[in-house]
Amino acid sequence: MKQAYDVIVVGAGNAALCSAIAASEQGAKVVVLEKAPKHKRGGNSFFTDGAIRVAYEDFHQIREIIPDITDEEADKIEMPVYTKDDYYDDLMRVTAGKSDTDLAHQLVGSSLETIKWMRQQGVAFELNAKNQSFINDGKRHFWGGLPLKTKNKGIGLIGQLFHRIDELGIDVLYEARAMKLLKEADRVNGVVVEHQGEAKALQGASVVLACGSFEADKEMRKQHIGDEWEAAIVRGTEFNTGDGIEMALAVGAQKYGEWSGCHSIGTDYNAPRVGDFEKPGDIFKKHSYPISIMLNKDGQRFVDEGADFRNYTYAKYGKEILKQKDHVAYQIYDVTLRPLLREEYDLEEATSFQADTLEELVDQLPVNKKAFIETIYEYNDAVQAGTFNPSIKDGKHTEGITPPKTNWAAKIEQGPFYAFPVTCGITFAFGGLHVNTDGKVLDEDAQPINGLFAAGEMVGGIFYENYPGGSGLMSGAVYGKIAGTEAGKYVQSVNVMK
Ligand SMILES: Cc1cc2nc3c(=O)[nH]c(=O)nc-3n(C[C@H](O)[C@H](O)[C@H](O)COP(=O)(O)OP(=O)(O)OC[C@H]3O[C@@H](n4cnc5c(N)ncnc54)[C@H](O)[C@@H]3O)c2cc1C
């Protein structure tokens, strides 16, 4: 069969597009297969807030990435450095030391150079000021190691990457669902693709799988993560149904990582059941909960809302909300906290309740009213003295209640009062394929499968139990670039052998 392309890239999110561009830089003729129609292209990456976690030695390196920060603006910014060691330590801390050390080092160590490479491809970045800093003493204080985001969120990221794809003359096929890998002797050399309803074999010297994990497939969620995950809202694309993972397993790839785990958050109770491409921008999350208290329908708290900065707890608290009756929890704030809430709380899409007294607020909620009020009063009594400061872990805590609140424990006592109902939204599954630091997919004996590469959220072994915010895009970009580069080099070696 005639080989029309050197490298076939499956998927059209951040990881896939970075792969396609990197393979093209190696001189390969590349095609991108996107399962979605054109108006739903870009995967979960399109839905993101664009927050991207990078290691940097000083503010100067951030200014190189965002050159339009003026000296005057810079003077008003306090940004702690976030070194490779800091990033690596955070990754290991939140994954309970389980992250694959080689993959983790590669992710962290290549993060800054990959951001610079993305910039060269036309991706623009800006400060993540609204979500990752607070004004204090006239200065903007950043916290949590996540000061960078792509301009205009995931919409901007995907728009710029497609712009570059077009500039490079890379073909993109829409409504092109990869179904099966072709293998000849010991080499993967193409895919069977259903393109606009017609199945055909597409030959290529190498294949990069970057087509997401299985979060949008109800059956796979139930099978691998647990029955209760049927009820989770899918935050992103409907097209990530585990196809790439299953295709790779069918040719002998090794499963890797935490197959029973996933990234999930507290999202608006009335968010769409699956990501709506007309409403991107990650507008349904509710991420100010560290300064709230969260109660379930029985009127009980169930997590330490202030255990850490939002960046290090949000991805594991979705699971805790899913466990509550009817999969719902209520974030409670009073008027002193309300101005500190992130902008998503002010959107017309935000579901909320408001009242002048706590009793009137709770009357509007379908909860055990007596227990609900009692819990809030008990919490207020347990709050210890101290200075409330959301830009640091302020240690302002509770005593004598379970679960405790470790930081940002402020009394909920001045009306008006506010309740925001949230449920569990799944982002992606942690389990996936085993790749090495060259992005090569490994078989059951941990040997590379010739011609097969993978990147993005379908790679297992990096995230377990939890996740440091902004690492999904970084992982997709780092491993996408690597997989594409290596796939391009592999093509050259295959052509030399011919
Ligand atoms: C609402 C939301 C907000 C988020 N915010 C952030 C954030 O701010 N920062 C961050 O780091 N991470 C964020 N994430 C996580 C982030 O989106 C993912 O980690 C990352 O984008 C995954 O990139 P990817 O390229 O691997 O997958 P995706 O971007 O999901 O791309 C997968 C692609 O594969 C295609 N596809 C699937 N199956 C097939 C098939 N059989 N054949 C062909 N194509 C196929 C899909 O259509 C899609 O184009 C967020 C996720 C969501 C849902």
Side-chain angles (χ1 to χ4, degrees):
M1 197 193 311
K2 193 172 164 301
Q3 181 184 302
Y5 296 102
D6 298 318
V7 178
I8 299 170
V9 175
V10 181
N14 177 49
L17 300 180
C18 287
S19 292
I21 294 166
S24 171
E25 283 184 334
Q26 295 299 313
K29 185 158 169 49
V30 183
V31 64
V32 170
L33 306 181
E34 167 61 295
K35 183 175 172 180
K38 190 172 181 183
H39 68 282
K40 291 186 174 184
R41 68 183 184 180
N44 277 349
S45 308
F46 177 74
F47 284 92
T48 65
D49 202 19
I52 189 157
R53 183 169 291 257
V54 60
Y56 55 93
E57 296 298 328
D58 55 36
F59 185 37
H60 177 69
Q61 290 184 324
I62 295 293
R63 290 190 70 181
E64 280 178 352
I65 299 162
I66 314 174
D68 47 357
I69 301 173
T70 63
D71 289 344
E72 202 183 331
E73 284 164 341
D75 283 345
K76 293 196 179 117
I77 289 174
E78 287 292 332
M79 189 183 291
V81 297
Y82 191 66
T83 64
K84 290 178 188 170
D85 285 347
D86 293 330
Y87 194 166
Y88 186 83
D89 290 348
D90 276 342
L91 183 56
M92 284 300 166
R93 179 169 57 84
V94 302
T95 62
K98 293 180 190 162
S99 184
D100 178 305
T101 51
D102 291 340
L103 296 178
H105 275 301
Q106 177 74 286
L107 166 62
V108 169
S110 306
S111 59
L112 185 61
E113 69 187 54
T114 304
I115 292 280
K116 289 180 181 167
W117 176 83
M118 290 170 87
R119 252 197 106 229
Q120 286 163 12
Q121 310 310 324
V123 176
F125 295 90
E126 63 185 5
L127 285 177
N128 199 355
K130 281 192 184 139
N131 289 337
Q132 296 286 320
S133 69
F134 288 102
I135 305 274
N136 211 343
D137 300 331
K139 282 204 161 190
R140 189 170 278 288
H141 293 254
F142 281 81
W143 50 270
L146 192 48
L148 211 60
K149 69 186 293 186
T150 53
K151 211 164 196 163
N152 195 16
K153 306 184 171 187
I155 308 159
L157 167 69
I158 291 298
Q160 283 303 332
L161 289 176
F162 267 111
H163 182 70
R164 184 66 180 139
I165 291 280
D166 288 346
E167 270 181 356
L168 292 169
I170 295 172
D171 288 345
V172 182
L173 305 186
Y174 295 102
E175 296 173 64
R177 178 171 72 100
M179 301 194 312
K180 188 180 167 210
L181 290 167
L182 297 171
K183 202 174 173 196
E184 215 174 271
D186 65 344
R187 289 222 299 262
V188 167
N189 65 349
V191 300
V192 176
V193 56
E194 187 185 45
H195 184 214
Q196 296 175 344
E198 194 187 325
K200 57 184 172 197
L202 193 64
Q203 206 84 16
S206 65
V207 176
V208 179
L209 294 173
C211 47
S213 65
F214 58 81
E215 69 276 357
D217 187 280
K218 210 181 266 185
E219 288 309 315
M220 286 185 83
R221 284 205 307 269
K222 276 166 66 179
Q223 183 189 347
H224 298 295
I225 316 180
D227 282 342
E228 66 280 17
W229 287 88
E230 187 175 1
I233 276 180
V234 176
R235 298 176 65 210
T237 179
E238 70 214 71
F239 298 102
N240 287 358
T241 52
D243 305 353
I245 294 177
E246 292 198 320
M247 288 190 302
L249 296 180
V251 298
Q254 189 186 112
K255 278 183 166 182
Y256 200 50
E258 189 189 32
W259 274 67
S260 60
C262 66
H263 180 302
S264 66
I265 69 154
T267 192
D268 194 287
Y269 189 69
N270 292 314
R273 301 297 306 170
V274 64
D276 180 350
F277 278 83
E278 300 291 316
K279 293 195 166 189
D282 201 7
I283 57 176
F284 295 102
K285 66 189 170 200
K286 292 284 172 294
H287 280 180
S288 292
Y289 65 85
I291 58 169
S292 81
I293 49 171
M294 277 196 287
L295 281 72
N296 63 19
K297 280 194 155 181
D298 292 330
Q300 305 300 324
R301 289 176 55 249
F302 53 94
V303 290
D304 177 353
E305 302 86 346
D308 204 332
F309 287 121
R310 163 267 177 206
N311 298 351
Y312 305 114
T313 58
Y314 79 103
K316 64 176 181 178
Y317 280 176
K319 179 175 160 190
E320 300 307 320
I321 293 167
L322 190 71
K323 288 179 192 163
Q324 309 308 312
K325 188 190 278 181
D326 295 337
H327 319 297
V328 64
Y330 298 87
Q331 297 178 5
I332 307 294
Y333 304 92
D334 76 356
V335 73
T336 56
L337 296 168
R338 183 68 184 83
L340 299 175
L341 301 195
R342 294 161 55 119
E343 58 183 354
E344 67 255 21
Y345 290 78
D346 297 323
L347 300 176
E348 61 176 3
E349 285 81 5
T351 308
S352 69
F353 300 88
Q354 179 183 337
D356 288 336
T357 66
L358 267 176
E359 286 71 14
E360 283 167 335
L361 182 77
V362 176
D363 268 345
Q364 300 176 54
L365 310 178
V367 300
N368 179 330
K369 299 182 197 313
K370 184 167 174 287
F372 209 96
I373 295 271
E374 273 171 17
T375 298
I376 298 175
Y377 287 149
E378 274 168 21
Y379 163 79
N380 281 345
D381 288 344
V383 170
Q384 302 298 299
T387 307
F388 177 86
N389 181 351
S391 24
I392 54 166
K393 286 209 254 180
D394 64 6
K396 185 163 163 41
H397 64 284
T398 58
E399 271 177 20
I401 54 169
T402 308
K405 190 168 182 199
T406 311
N407 294 288
W408 311 299
K411 290 187 185 189
I412 313 277
E413 58 182 359
Q414 273 189 60
F417 298 92
Y418 305 85
F420 291 85
V422 288
T423 187
C424 171
I426 185 168
T427 320
F428 62 92
F430 287 154
L433 303 177
H434 195 180
V435 302
N436 66 14
T437 51
D438 286 340
K440 294 180 177 161
V441 177
L442 304 181
D443 67 14
E444 292 287 0
D445 299 322
Q447 297 304 309
I449 298 175
N450 289 327
L452 188 60
F453 302 81
E457 65 182 40
M458 60 190 301
V459 167
I462 301 177
F463 309 120
Y464 291 79
E465 297 180 21
N466 192 7
Y467 157 107
S471 299
L473 287 177
M474 200 67 256
S475 168
V478 165
Y479 281 99
K481 175 172 177 279
I482 290 173
T485 305
E486 292 301 320
K489 286 184 185 163
Y490 173 83
V491 171
Q492 292 159 14
S493 70
V494 170
N495 289 342
V496 168
M497 284 190 302
K498 271 185 183 165

